[in-house]
Structures are given as C-alpha cells and as structure tokens.
Amino acid sequence: MIPSVLPTYNRAPLAFVRGAGSWLEAEDGRRYLDLGAGIAVNALGHAHPDLVRTLTDQAARLWHVSNVYRIPEQERLADLLVERTFADTVFFTNSGTETTELAIKMARKFHYENGHPERVEIVAFEGAFHGRSTGAIAAAGSEKMVKGYGPLMPGFVHLKWPAGEADHAAIRAAITERTCAVIIEPIQGEGGIRVVPDQCLKGLRDLCDATGTLLVFDEVQCGMGRTGRLFAHEWAGMTPDIMLVAKGIGGGFPLGAVLATERAASGMTAGTHGSTYGGNPLACAVGAKVVELVSDPAFLSEVARKGAMFRQGLESLVACHPSVFEAVRGEGLMLGLKCRVAPADVVKAGYDAGVLTVAAADNVLRILPALNIPDEDIAEALIRLDQAAGYFEKAA
Ligand code: PLP
C-alpha cells in the first residue's frame, strides 16, 4: 500500500522533535550533530533566539497580505539585499525552484523587449541542479532528473562543467545569436561541491558582455554567507546580471529571492509575474533578520575561519582513512569529502556515530553545517566523522 506521504524520498528512519544550535534531538532522545543544516538551510542553526523572536513577534502582528498591497517587511528585505549586493531589484519566492523559473522568464523577456525574440536559449552545465519544476529539470538536463517527464521545455544547451580556461572555447561556441542567458552555480552543491574556478567566472562574465548574454548565478546553495562572503561569486571580484537565492536566506522559513540589475529586470513590468505567498510579511521579517546577521563582516570572517578550521580537520581525516576518503573540496563551510566508498553508506554510518551529513553526486559527502557552528562542535564533528569512517575499516 502506498504510504500516506508520497514516497518520493528514500527517508532515513529518523524523526527529530527539537533542535538547538547545531544539534537535533530525535524522538528517542538521542542527540545528533547536524552537519547538513536542512541542506544549507538552517544558516543560523536551530531555534536561533533572534529568529524565534522575529518570527513570533511578526506572527502576532501580521502573517500574510497579498502582493496587491505594499508590504513594508518585503521592502525592507529588498532594500537590505540591494544595499549589500550588485542588485537593483528583488522578487521574492517560496523556494529555489521558483527562482529558476523566474530567471528563465526574465532572461527571455529581456531579449524579447529589446527586439530579439529569437534569443531564447539558455546555456547550462552538466552536474547542475536548479530545482524540480519542469523548467528547472530541463535547465539541469541530467537523465536522472528528466527521465519519464518529457516533453521537456525546449531551449537549453548543456555543456561540460567548466574546470578551467580550456573549457571557454566550448562555451564561446555554444553562445549563439539565439542565446539569452548562461546559468551556473558558482559552486555546485548537488553536483558534488564542485567549485567553478574564479578565472572561469570572470571568463564567463567577459563572454556574456561580448555577446549581450545575461549571466545568471544560482547561489541557492552556495550563497548567503556559506563560503565566507555574502555570495560566493564575490571571491571572483565580478557580478552576475541575475542571481537566485533561497535556502539560507530564510534560516528555515521557506523563502527565495531573484536579485537582478535594473537592466536585466527591465522586461518585468506590472502583470508579467507574481506569487501568492512569495515575499509575505512573515517570510520577509525572518529573511531580513537572517540577512542582517549573516551579512555582518565580522560574522562572515568567522565563517571563513571556521571553514578553514573544519577543512584542516577533514584533511587529517582523509589522511587517517585513505580507504574511505580521498580528498576535501569546497569553500568556507560548503565542504565536500570525496569518498572511496558510497557516500550514502557514510551518511548511514554517521547516523550510528550521531552525526548528520548529506550525500551528493560525484561520490561526495557534503558538510554544510550552521554558519555559526561553535568551534567545539566542529571538534566534536571531526571525532564523530572519524568514528563513522572507522566502521568501514572494521567491516573490511
Ligand atoms: N538551485 C540549487 C543550486 C539548489 O541546490 C536547489 C536545491 O537544492 C535548488 C535550486 C532548488 O531549491 P528548492 O528545493 O528550494 O526548490
């Protein structure tokens, strides 16, 4: 018999009843150190007092009003994002997938309004993940995600993930008079913590400028402080035309945002897009508090320091367990352990050791803790990961 919850997830036999900071407590009272943070969502850990206060204050005042009215909480969050990024304007959604959908519409509309209705194609990259809607799976294009869901939305061209300058010629060749945009995650999350080299991001910017193509960064997973800068592309010293943000921005409350330059957004006039819930007062009150806390330079430099500390510990783990782990990758607190065993098995071993991690493609185990994880929890995490790796050696 089909379960009452549609079985689209292969769920772990764990259910949590409460969380505090980087810790989750299961139904049986056992505590787990959470290095997954809801897959990069709980940016400030569980039950952060400022977020709880902001949410409950706003809940007592006003949860929801339609976007047909002005929403001061939304305006405040948009102002904060505009002040702290390349963007001139912001549209709020409830999820990352919806940000992908708007980026596709915005890029096509831009060219349509500029007299180029033929510019509809979007260049995307192998290993990408942009969400689960029909448009977002077409954008990512992997067989695993699209199988059985055709016909797919046309208009996507898929290229090898750019690992260096040598790949630029292929990207240049793929940008034609029909191309409207290039979409890329500066660090692939689901794809296995694959960092696009800074010179590739700069090269993409130059190619897009030379061809009048819009550059779209999907920072749903790698943004919001995760790398030690507010957004990952900042390390490369350049900016996109459109950026997708979700996950961490709500700290656990469903919230996403499309950030854009005035030029890129110029086609999106009244009536061209909308959302019932996107940007409601409750979501935006929480989002503004998250952005305020995470964008503080002192907070971000702590993320970078903690990331370096965690990475060093993981390097030692690789050295101690060469039959289980191969290498460490990533930036800041978006870390990946390339495994020699199936990462899903390491995730399971982690359950026994009381530590939660997330598997990704390319045989990688993802480590995406709360950005404010205390140093002692990083030390404890390394002890528990060492224990989890030890199970494989005992079994061998
Ligand atoms: N883009 C990236 C890079 C993601 O990692 C995800 C989710 O994992 C999404 C888009 C889709 O976000 P959501 O699951 O909130 O729709």
Side-chain angles (χ1 to χ4, degrees):
M1 204 172 71
I2 192 164
S4 58
V5 175
L6 190 72
T8 59
Y9 278 87
N10 202 357
R11 292 175 198 271
L14 283 172
F16 300 103
V17 291
R18 66 178 62 78
S22 293
W23 293 87
L24 280 170
E25 186 184 320
E27 282 173 323
D28 62 1
R30 189 159 182 228
R31 292 173 78 236
Y32 292 78
L33 187 42
D34 184 8
L35 304 184
I39 317 191
V41 167
N42 302 99
L44 294 166
H46 300 280
H48 188 286
D50 289 354
L51 296 192
V52 172
R53 199 173 314 113
T54 302
L55 179 89
T56 48
D57 284 356
Q58 185 62 44
R61 208 166 35 244
L62 183 67
W63 292 27
H64 179 84
V65 291
S66 165
N67 274 307
V68 302
Y69 307 107
R70 279 189 48 228
I71 299 177
E73 295 80 5
Q74 188 182 119
E75 291 167 4
R76 172 146 191 279
L77 176 54
D79 287 348
L80 272 177
L81 290 167
V82 165
E83 197 181 284
R84 283 156 209 215
T85 69
F86 72 95
D88 301 312
T89 189
V90 186
F91 183 91
F92 294 102
T93 67
N94 312 289
S95 68
T97 301
E98 291 162 83
T99 65
T100 303
E101 289 295 326
L102 174 53
I104 296 167
K105 289 172 74 173
M106 190 182 278
R108 288 182 174 170
K109 193 73 166 21
F110 169 80
H111 292 288
Y112 179 89
E113 296 293 348
N114 280 288
H116 290 286
E118 76 287 356
R119 295 191 73 162
V120 295
E121 278 180 6
I122 297 176
V123 172
F125 294 89
E126 159 269 313
F129 185 83
H130 300 299
R132 302 279 190 173
S133 64
T134 50
I137 61 172
S142 76
E143 153 114 39
K144 187 175 136 216
M145 278 203 289
V146 304
K147 202 170 161 204
Y149 296 127
L152 292 179
M153 180 195 284
F156 293 95
V157 174
H158 296 103
L159 299 183
K160 188 170 147 282
W161 176 76
E165 302 263 2
D167 297 318
H168 289 199
I171 302 170
R172 177 68 195 89
I175 298 177
T176 69
E177 63 287 348
R178 288 183 52 76
T179 307
C180 67
V182 173
I183 183 168
I184 191 164
E185 298 154 81
I187 304 180
Q188 284 189 347
E190 305 300 309
I193 312 291
R194 295 200 293 177
V195 182
V196 179
D198 286 354
Q199 84 269 21
C200 282
L201 292 183
K202 285 192 188 130
L204 271 178
R205 181 68 275 173
D206 292 344
L207 285 177
C208 286
D209 286 344
T211 54
T213 306
L214 294 175
L215 182 57
V216 182
F217 284 164
D218 180 344
E219 292 227 18
V220 166
Q221 194 161 148
C222 64
M224 282 310 297
R226 187 130 298 271
T227 64
R229 301 290 284 264
L230 187 53
F231 291 101
H233 69 265
E234 292 173 22
W235 292 107
M238 42 73 72
T239 56
D241 301 295
I242 299 172
M243 178 167 70
L244 317 184
V245 180
K247 288 186 180 281
I249 191 171
F253 199 93
L255 176 64
V258 176
L259 279 63
T261 61
E262 183 169 8
R263 181 173 165 270
S266 57
M268 305 308 295
T269 50
T272 56
H273 196 62
S275 170
T276 293
Y277 294 116
N280 85 1
L282 203 48
C284 288
V286 176
K289 183 50 81 179
V290 173
V291 172
E292 210 179 274
L293 294 173
V294 170
S295 63
D296 177 349
F299 182 92
L300 290 168
S301 64
E302 273 295 279
V303 174
R305 185 189 62 78
K306 287 170 194 285
M309 176 184 166
F310 214 144
R311 192 187 183 104
Q312 203 175 20
L314 292 175
E315 301 278 5
S316 308
L317 211 61
V318 171
C320 290
H321 301 281
S323 62
V324 183
F325 302 126
E326 194 180 323
V328 186
R329 24 165 106 157
E331 289 285 346
L333 286 170
M334 184 167 188
L335 293 165
L337 270 172
K338 173 95 172 159
C339 299
R340 291 194 198 276
V341 297
D345 290 341
V346 185
V347 172
K348 279 195 199 125
Y351 297 151
D352 292 335
V355 62
L356 306 175
T357 53
V358 192
D362 205 25
N363 235 43
V364 164
L365 184 78
R366 265 178 293 177
I367 309 234
L368 308 161
L371 302 180
N372 56 356
I373 183 171
D375 289 2
E376 54 273 26
D377 287 352
I378 296 179
E380 182 62 30
L382 291 164
I383 292 169
R384 292 179 183 223
L385 288 170
D386 179 61
Q387 202 181 328
Y391 297 147
F392 290 85
E393 283 146 4
K394 264 189 231 129

